[in-house]
Amino acid sequence: METLPEPERCASGYGATKGEAELLAWQEGRELGMAVSVVRAGAVGGQLRSGWMNDRDYRWLVLRACVESGLHPALAGSFRWAPVCHVARAV
């Protein structure tokens, strides 16, 4: 069984909140004798066949603004999305 990182070691409040929720789910599952799985899918993108994407996702909004303006921010990394259909199949 993989252990979760301590919530206070997460870099952001968002990450700490997610970590705390995962830890509570595992503890409650153990107490009730239930198996609990935590799936960290990362960034979930659009559907492959239809191309539908959550148009309120901030990464999508940045990408759209870049295309429309012809400009882009200097990013250290890259956007990586897993198509929602792949994530659903994996889960």
Side-chain angles (χ1 to χ4, degrees):
M1 177 169 78
E2 187 178 337
T3 58
L4 298 170
E6 293 295 321
E8 60 271 2
R9 293 187 186 176
C10 294
S12 69
Y14 178 76
T17 301
K18 287 179 64 85
E20 193 65 41
E22 292 167 354
L23 189 60
L24 287 171
W26 279 33
Q27 290 172 343
E28 190 67 19
R30 191 173 344 135
E31 190 172 304
L32 295 173
M34 298 171 58
V36 173
S37 295
V38 174
V39 178
R40 295 182 181 172
V44 180
Q47 210 281 338
L48 287 179
R49 289 189 182 155
S50 69
W52 186 89
M53 176 77 178
N54 176 5
D55 60 2
R56 293 182 185 165
D57 181 273
Y58 81 94
R59 289 183 177 115
W60 170 248
L61 293 171
V62 169
L63 180 61
R64 181 176 161 192
C66 290
V67 170
E68 290 177 359
S69 68
L71 303 170
H72 64 86
L75 300 173
S78 61
F79 285 169
R80 293 185 182 192
W81 280 308
V84 67
C85 46
H86 289 198
V87 173
R89 191 170 29 252
V91 172

